[in-house]
Amino acid sequence: EDKVVQSPLSLVVHEGDTVTLNCSYEVTNFRSLLWYKQEKKAPTFLFMLTSSGIEKKSGRLSSILDKKELFSILNITATQTGDSAVYLCAVENYNNNDMRFGAGTRLTVKP
Amino acid sequence: EPEVTQTPSHQVTQMGQEVILRCVPISNHLYFYWYRQILGQKVEFLVSFYNNEISEKSEIFDDQFSVERPDGSNFTLKIRSTKLEDSAMYFCARRTGNTGELFFGEGSRLTVL
């Protein structure tokens, strides 16, 4: 069965810190891995990764995928209170049309 | 691109009642999805819908659930006889193609009493 495991489950840091969130997966016929940020309601899209070793970057956020070791990391540098959210990792495969989510990492950034 | 619009934002219903949740997508979207998130739990896939037909559904999507696109625009999720455990946020999501980013609507919170 496909599995997505995120760690840590929660993390508390202070503004300015750098954080690394982890997502490991077991997926048959892997197609892509996506990162989302969920604040109050809907998950908002951050990154989609399909190839190993290619870093995707957006401002202070970056992410990379390792298809050999079956994991991805999401880095946030110089964290701000507005980064406080649950960060979700999701993977999908070529076999079907659904997307399997991890339980998320709850990040709290204190001023 | 804008995400989809969902209505209602919050619905409270009695157990056993029928509920219809609506999703209004942009017209050129072909791939639609319903996900749900029980409070404090994972986002779970329910069903995907392509070209006016169900393409995939999860084990959660049993006979109590149905989806349709009755007028070619609104995309609905119907729960025939709600149970307490159906209380959750229901998210509609869309993709332009079969791959690529999945964008979520703001969600409809369903509370079953």
Short mmCIF file of all heavy atoms in Angstrom, two decimals, chain A residues 6-7 20-24 33-37 44-49 62-65 71-75 87-90 101 104-105:
data_model
loop_
_atom_site.label_atom_id
_atom_site.label_comp_id
_atom_site.label_asym_id
_atom_site.label_seq_id
_atom_site.Cartn_x
_atom_site.Cartn_y
_atom_site.Cartn_z
N GLN A 6 5.55 11.96 7.08
CA GLN A 6 6.19 13.25 7.25
C GLN A 6 6.79 13.37 8.66
O GLN A 6 6.23 12.85 9.63
CB GLN A 6 5.18 14.39 7.04
CG GLN A 6 4.73 14.49 5.61
CD GLN A 6 3.87 15.71 5.37
OE1 GLN A 6 2.69 15.61 5.06
NE2 GLN A 6 4.47 16.89 5.54
N SER A 7 7.89 14.06 8.73
CA SER A 7 8.50 14.29 10.05
C SER A 7 9.19 15.66 10.04
O SER A 7 9.62 16.14 8.99
CB SER A 7 9.52 13.19 10.37
OG SER A 7 10.58 13.20 9.43
N THR A 20 13.88 22.48 8.25
CA THR A 20 13.84 21.46 7.21
C THR A 20 12.75 20.46 7.56
O THR A 20 12.77 19.86 8.64
CB THR A 20 15.19 20.72 7.11
OG1 THR A 20 16.20 21.66 6.76
CG2 THR A 20 15.13 19.63 6.05
N LEU A 21 11.82 20.31 6.65
CA LEU A 21 10.72 19.36 6.84
C LEU A 21 10.95 18.18 5.92
O LEU A 21 11.40 18.34 4.77
CB LEU A 21 9.37 20.02 6.51
CG LEU A 21 9.11 21.38 7.17
CD1 LEU A 21 7.72 21.88 6.81
CD2 LEU A 21 9.28 21.31 8.67
N ASN A 22 10.62 17.00 6.41
CA ASN A 22 10.92 15.77 5.68
C ASN A 22 9.66 15.04 5.24
O ASN A 22 8.65 15.04 5.95
CB ASN A 22 11.72 14.83 6.58
CG ASN A 22 12.99 15.47 7.08
OD1 ASN A 22 13.93 15.68 6.33
ND2 ASN A 22 13.03 15.81 8.36
N CYS A 23 9.79 14.39 4.11
CA CYS A 23 8.70 13.57 3.60
C CYS A 23 9.31 12.33 2.96
O CYS A 23 10.06 12.44 2.00
CB CYS A 23 7.89 14.36 2.57
SG CYS A 23 6.57 13.39 1.80
N SER A 24 9.00 11.18 3.50
CA SER A 24 9.45 9.93 2.87
C SER A 24 8.24 9.18 2.35
O SER A 24 7.13 9.33 2.87
CB SER A 24 10.24 9.07 3.86
OG SER A 24 9.42 8.66 4.91
N LEU A 33 5.71 14.29 -6.54
CA LEU A 33 5.54 14.63 -5.13
C LEU A 33 5.22 16.11 -5.06
O LEU A 33 5.85 16.92 -5.75
CB LEU A 33 6.81 14.30 -4.34
CG LEU A 33 6.77 14.52 -2.83
CD1 LEU A 33 7.63 13.47 -2.12
CD2 LEU A 33 7.19 15.91 -2.43
N LEU A 34 4.24 16.45 -4.26
CA LEU A 34 3.81 17.84 -4.15
C LEU A 34 3.85 18.29 -2.70
O LEU A 34 3.56 17.51 -1.79
CB LEU A 34 2.39 18.01 -4.69
CG LEU A 34 2.21 17.79 -6.19
CD1 LEU A 34 1.96 16.32 -6.52
CD2 LEU A 34 1.08 18.64 -6.74
N TRP A 35 4.18 19.55 -2.51
CA TRP A 35 4.15 20.17 -1.18
C TRP A 35 3.06 21.23 -1.17
O TRP A 35 2.91 22.01 -2.12
CB TRP A 35 5.49 20.84 -0.86
CG TRP A 35 6.57 19.90 -0.46
CD1 TRP A 35 7.57 19.39 -1.25
CD2 TRP A 35 6.81 19.36 0.84
NE1 TRP A 35 8.40 18.58 -0.53
CE2 TRP A 35 7.96 18.54 0.77
CE3 TRP A 35 6.18 19.49 2.09
CZ2 TRP A 35 8.47 17.85 1.87
CZ3 TRP A 35 6.69 18.82 3.18
CH2 TRP A 35 7.83 18.00 3.06
N TYR A 36 2.33 21.25 -0.06
CA TYR A 36 1.27 22.23 0.14
C TYR A 36 1.44 22.88 1.52
O TYR A 36 1.95 22.27 2.45
CB TYR A 36 -0.10 21.57 0.10
CG TYR A 36 -0.55 21.14 -1.28
CD1 TYR A 36 -0.18 19.91 -1.81
CD2 TYR A 36 -1.34 21.98 -2.07
CE1 TYR A 36 -0.58 19.52 -3.08
CE2 TYR A 36 -1.74 21.58 -3.33
CZ TYR A 36 -1.35 20.36 -3.82
OH TYR A 36 -1.75 19.98 -5.08
N LYS A 37 0.92 24.09 1.62
CA LYS A 37 0.86 24.81 2.90
C LYS A 37 -0.61 24.94 3.26
O LYS A 37 -1.42 25.40 2.44
CB LYS A 37 1.49 26.19 2.76
CG LYS A 37 1.44 27.05 4.01
CD LYS A 37 2.05 28.43 3.74
CE LYS A 37 2.05 29.29 4.99
NZ LYS A 37 2.60 30.65 4.73
N THR A 44 -2.67 25.19 0.01
CA THR A 44 -2.24 25.99 -1.13
C THR A 44 -0.95 25.39 -1.68
O THR A 44 -0.04 25.03 -0.93
CB THR A 44 -2.02 27.47 -0.76
OG1 THR A 44 -1.15 27.53 0.38
CG2 THR A 44 -3.33 28.13 -0.42
N PHE A 45 -0.87 25.34 -2.97
CA PHE A 45 0.21 24.65 -3.67
C PHE A 45 1.52 25.39 -3.48
O PHE A 45 1.59 26.62 -3.58
CB PHE A 45 -0.14 24.56 -5.15
CG PHE A 45 0.97 24.04 -6.00
CD1 PHE A 45 1.25 22.70 -6.05
CD2 PHE A 45 1.74 24.91 -6.75
CE1 PHE A 45 2.29 22.21 -6.82
CE2 PHE A 45 2.78 24.45 -7.53
CZ PHE A 45 3.05 23.09 -7.57
N LEU A 46 2.59 24.63 -3.21
CA LEU A 46 3.93 25.20 -3.12
C LEU A 46 4.81 24.70 -4.27
O LEU A 46 5.30 25.49 -5.07
CB LEU A 46 4.58 24.82 -1.78
CG LEU A 46 3.94 25.39 -0.51
CD1 LEU A 46 4.62 24.81 0.72
CD2 LEU A 46 3.98 26.90 -0.50
N PHE A 47 5.05 23.39 -4.31
CA PHE A 47 5.96 22.83 -5.30
C PHE A 47 5.45 21.49 -5.80
O PHE A 47 4.79 20.76 -5.07
CB PHE A 47 7.34 22.56 -4.69
CG PHE A 47 8.06 23.76 -4.16
CD1 PHE A 47 8.24 23.93 -2.79
CD2 PHE A 47 8.57 24.73 -5.02
CE1 PHE A 47 8.91 25.03 -2.30
CE2 PHE A 47 9.24 25.83 -4.53
CZ PHE A 47 9.41 25.99 -3.17
N MET A 48 5.84 21.20 -7.03
CA MET A 48 5.68 19.85 -7.56
C MET A 48 7.03 19.36 -8.03
O MET A 48 7.73 20.07 -8.76
CB MET A 48 4.69 19.81 -8.73
CG MET A 48 4.43 18.40 -9.19
SD MET A 48 3.10 18.25 -10.38
CE MET A 48 3.95 18.54 -11.89
N LEU A 49 7.41 18.17 -7.60
CA LEU A 49 8.72 17.60 -7.91
C LEU A 49 8.53 16.28 -8.63
O LEU A 49 7.77 15.42 -8.18
CB LEU A 49 9.51 17.37 -6.61
CG LEU A 49 9.68 18.60 -5.73
CD1 LEU A 49 9.96 18.21 -4.30
CD2 LEU A 49 10.81 19.47 -6.26
N SER A 62 12.40 26.26 -0.47
CA SER A 62 12.99 25.43 -1.52
C SER A 62 12.71 23.98 -1.20
O SER A 62 12.46 23.61 -0.05
CB SER A 62 14.50 25.68 -1.62
OG SER A 62 15.14 25.31 -0.42
N SER A 63 12.77 23.17 -2.24
CA SER A 63 12.48 21.76 -2.04
C SER A 63 13.26 20.93 -3.04
O SER A 63 13.57 21.40 -4.15
CB SER A 63 10.97 21.50 -2.22
OG SER A 63 10.68 20.15 -1.96
N ILE A 64 13.56 19.71 -2.64
CA ILE A 64 14.31 18.81 -3.51
C ILE A 64 13.83 17.39 -3.29
O ILE A 64 13.31 17.05 -2.22
CB ILE A 64 15.83 18.96 -3.26
CG1 ILE A 64 16.65 18.39 -4.42
CG2 ILE A 64 16.23 18.35 -1.92
CD1 ILE A 64 18.06 18.91 -4.47
N LEU A 65 13.97 16.59 -4.31
CA LEU A 65 13.48 15.21 -4.28
C LEU A 65 14.65 14.25 -4.49
O LEU A 65 15.53 14.51 -5.32
CB LEU A 65 12.45 15.03 -5.40
CG LEU A 65 11.88 13.65 -5.66
CD1 LEU A 65 10.99 13.21 -4.52
CD2 LEU A 65 11.09 13.64 -6.98
N PHE A 71 12.66 10.20 -0.72
CA PHE A 71 12.24 11.26 0.20
C PHE A 71 12.40 12.62 -0.47
O PHE A 71 13.06 12.77 -1.50
CB PHE A 71 13.03 11.21 1.51
CG PHE A 71 14.42 11.76 1.42
CD1 PHE A 71 14.69 13.10 1.70
CD2 PHE A 71 15.48 10.93 1.07
CE1 PHE A 71 15.97 13.60 1.61
CE2 PHE A 71 16.77 11.43 0.98
CZ PHE A 71 17.02 12.77 1.25
N SER A 72 11.77 13.58 0.19
CA SER A 72 11.89 14.97 -0.22
C SER A 72 12.04 15.82 1.03
O SER A 72 11.57 15.44 2.11
CB SER A 72 10.65 15.41 -0.99
OG SER A 72 10.67 16.79 -1.27
N ILE A 73 12.70 16.96 0.88
CA ILE A 73 12.76 17.91 1.98
C ILE A 73 12.23 19.26 1.50
O ILE A 73 12.33 19.61 0.32
CB ILE A 73 14.17 18.08 2.56
CG1 ILE A 73 15.16 18.53 1.48
CG2 ILE A 73 14.63 16.80 3.22
CD1 ILE A 73 16.53 18.89 2.04
N LEU A 74 11.64 19.96 2.44
CA LEU A 74 11.20 21.33 2.23
C LEU A 74 11.97 22.21 3.20
O LEU A 74 11.91 21.98 4.41
CB LEU A 74 9.69 21.46 2.47
CG LEU A 74 9.10 22.85 2.39
CD1 LEU A 74 9.13 23.38 0.96
CD2 LEU A 74 7.67 22.87 2.92
N ASN A 75 12.70 23.16 2.66
CA ASN A 75 13.48 24.07 3.51
C ASN A 75 12.82 25.44 3.53
O ASN A 75 12.36 25.94 2.49
CB ASN A 75 14.89 24.26 2.94
CG ASN A 75 15.82 23.16 3.37
OD1 ASN A 75 15.77 22.69 4.50
ND2 ASN A 75 16.68 22.74 2.47
N TYR A 87 2.32 21.90 6.91
CA TYR A 87 2.89 21.65 5.60
C TYR A 87 2.63 20.20 5.22
O TYR A 87 2.99 19.27 5.94
CB TYR A 87 4.39 21.97 5.60
CG TYR A 87 4.62 23.46 5.69
CD1 TYR A 87 4.60 24.10 6.93
CD2 TYR A 87 4.78 24.24 4.55
CE1 TYR A 87 4.76 25.48 7.02
CE2 TYR A 87 4.94 25.61 4.64
CZ TYR A 87 4.93 26.23 5.88
OH TYR A 87 5.06 27.60 5.96
N LEU A 88 1.98 20.04 4.08
CA LEU A 88 1.55 18.73 3.63
C LEU A 88 2.38 18.27 2.45
O LEU A 88 2.68 19.05 1.55
CB LEU A 88 0.08 18.78 3.20
CG LEU A 88 -0.93 19.23 4.24
CD1 LEU A 88 -2.30 19.42 3.59
CD2 LEU A 88 -1.03 18.22 5.36
N CYS A 89 2.70 17.00 2.48
CA CYS A 89 3.38 16.36 1.37
C CYS A 89 2.40 15.37 0.76
O CYS A 89 1.66 14.71 1.48
CB CYS A 89 4.61 15.63 1.92
SG CYS A 89 5.46 14.56 0.78
N ALA A 90 2.38 15.30 -0.55
CA ALA A 90 1.48 14.35 -1.22
C ALA A 90 2.22 13.72 -2.39
O ALA A 90 3.03 14.37 -3.04
CB ALA A 90 0.23 15.07 -1.72
N PHE A 101 -1.82 11.80 0.73
CA PHE A 101 -1.22 12.83 1.58
C PHE A 101 -0.60 12.24 2.83
O PHE A 101 -1.08 11.24 3.38
CB PHE A 101 -2.29 13.85 2.02
CG PHE A 101 -2.64 14.85 0.97
CD1 PHE A 101 -3.50 14.52 -0.07
CD2 PHE A 101 -2.10 16.13 1.00
CE1 PHE A 101 -3.82 15.44 -1.06
CE2 PHE A 101 -2.41 17.06 0.03
CZ PHE A 101 -3.27 16.72 -1.01
N GLY A 104 1.21 15.57 7.64
CA GLY A 104 1.57 16.97 7.77
C GLY A 104 2.55 17.24 8.89
O GLY A 104 2.68 16.45 9.83
N THR A 105 3.26 18.35 8.75
CA THR A 105 4.11 18.87 9.83
C THR A 105 3.54 20.22 10.23
O THR A 105 3.40 21.11 9.38
CB THR A 105 5.57 19.05 9.35
OG1 THR A 105 6.14 17.78 9.08
CG2 THR A 105 6.39 19.78 10.41
#
